[in-house]
Amino acid sequence: MPLTSMTSGMGFEVVPDVYCFSVQIVNIIFVGNPRESNEFILIDAGMPGSEGVILAEAKKRFGENCRPLGIVLTHGHFDHVGALNELLRIWDVPVYAHPLEQPYLTGKSDYPPPNPKADGLVAKMSPLFPRHSIDISSHLRLLNGDGSIPCLPNWRFIHTPGHTPGHVSLFRDSDKVLIAGDAITTVEQESLYDVITQKQEMHGPPAYFTLDWEAAEQSVKKIESLHPEIAITGHGLPMTGNELQSNLRILTDNFVLTEIPENIKQSGDITLF
């Protein structure tokens, strides 16, 4: 049986046009108001083999004839692109990603090996996780440097590297909604118990697959400076309001102490790509 959290298959309407849906251990997001249209934007593409669940949830929320206008990737790790090729066979739509993720989305480069020496049982399991690239060249559209997202005119992307070179988060200034990908998490993703129970607490990116800890720390500071009111993360339950902002401050202040694995700190090299 695949690793699965207690919230898998559950959806949360965070605001009327932003819906967070849990796929095993990762979140995908539908952006679009089903009361106004059957069109939407999909953020990330879940775990391998989850296309049926994603298609069913899209139809449940937006109607039988629903269709995305595009797909936006926060990054290309297996749990964020797992169903992408299968979804593109049904939804022939553009996929937007940062240029620095291009090698991992065009079959040119695999991600570096994980760090199984990070604390936690999930970290110990990480050598078993896929890290190969996929090839969606025919659908891939690269985001440009002005922060705009062609299919999401009221949002902007923020380059939040560290977990991967081209990791992005999405932000809407009008209501300060943040879609953070894995730049921050609201569960201790390295802990098997916490992943299953979805115990909520603020952390940085999943330690076993984070490549550049100096960049990751700067990305957390960048996110904190936005003062988001709502954060939807790639792993964990959404967090809002004062709880979100106070936890972001704590994370920013204590990042080196609490987030960087000991073996990385001892090596003296927190930049791996």
Side-chain angles (χ1 to χ4, degrees), residues 160-172:
T160 47
H163 188 55
T164 70
H167 188 288
V168 297
S169 302
L170 281 60
F171 190 67
R172 185 163 62 185

Side-chain angles (χ1 to χ4, degrees), residues 91-162:
W91 295 331
D92 184 16
V93 296
V95 179
Y96 297 95
H98 192 277
L100 292 177
E101 289 297 286
Q102 185 177 16
Y104 313 111
L105 301 171
T106 55
K108 294 181 179 178
S109 297
D110 295 336
Y111 285 107
N115 176 20
K117 294 182 180 180
D119 289 339
L121 188 54
V122 176
K124 303 299 182 285
M125 297 164 58
S126 62
L128 302 175
F129 299 160
R131 58 182 181 87
H132 60 271
S133 62
I134 62 172
D135 189 355
I136 56 161
S137 302
S138 60
H139 292 84
L140 184 61
R141 306 291 183 270
L142 300 179
L143 296 166
N144 62 38
D146 66 1
S148 65
I149 308 167
C151 58
L152 282 173
N154 296 319
W155 295 72
R156 58 187 171 104
F157 80 85
I158 299 157
H159 186 206
T160 47

Side-chain angles (χ1 to χ4, degrees), residues 54-124:
I54 294 172
L55 289 165
E57 194 66 16
K59 291 177 181 179
K60 178 181 175 183
R61 181 158 175 83
F62 293 97
E64 193 66 27
N65 296 318
C66 68
R67 177 179 175 81
L69 298 175
I71 298 172
V72 180
L73 299 178
T74 61
H75 62 299
H77 277 157
F78 79 100
D79 51 340
H80 294 258
V81 302
L84 187 55
N85 273 315
E86 289 75 13
L87 291 173
L88 290 174
R89 293 189 183 101
I90 299 164
W91 295 331
D92 184 16
V93 296
V95 179
Y96 297 95
H98 192 277
L100 292 177
E101 289 297 286
Q102 185 177 16
Y104 313 111
L105 301 171
T106 55
K108 294 181 179 178
S109 297
D110 295 336
Y111 285 107
N115 176 20
K117 294 182 180 180
D119 289 339
L121 188 54
V122 176
K124 303 299 182 285

Side-chain angles (χ1 to χ4, degrees), residues 217 251-262 265 270:
E217 181 183 15
L251 178 63
T252 300
D253 291 343
N254 297 281
F255 189 88
V256 173
L257 178 65
T258 63
E259 303 305 312
I260 302 177
E262 285 302 319
K265 285 191 279 192
I270 61 174

Side-chain angles (χ1 to χ4, degrees), residues 221-251:
K221 290 179 179 179
K222 193 182 298 185
I223 285 172
E224 194 273 334
S225 72
L226 295 171
H227 305 296
E229 289 290 337
I230 299 169
I232 307 166
T233 58
H235 302 278
L237 297 167
M239 191 175 285
T240 62
N242 291 334
E243 181 185 18
L244 168 62
Q245 293 171 10
S246 63
N247 274 280
L248 277 172
R249 285 193 295 272
I250 292 169
L251 178 63

Side-chain angles (χ1 to χ4, degrees), residues 194-206:
D194 287 4
V195 168
I196 292 172
T197 63
Q198 291 293 283
K199 176 186 175 184
Q200 191 175 43
E201 55 183 48
M202 178 72 73
H203 286 279

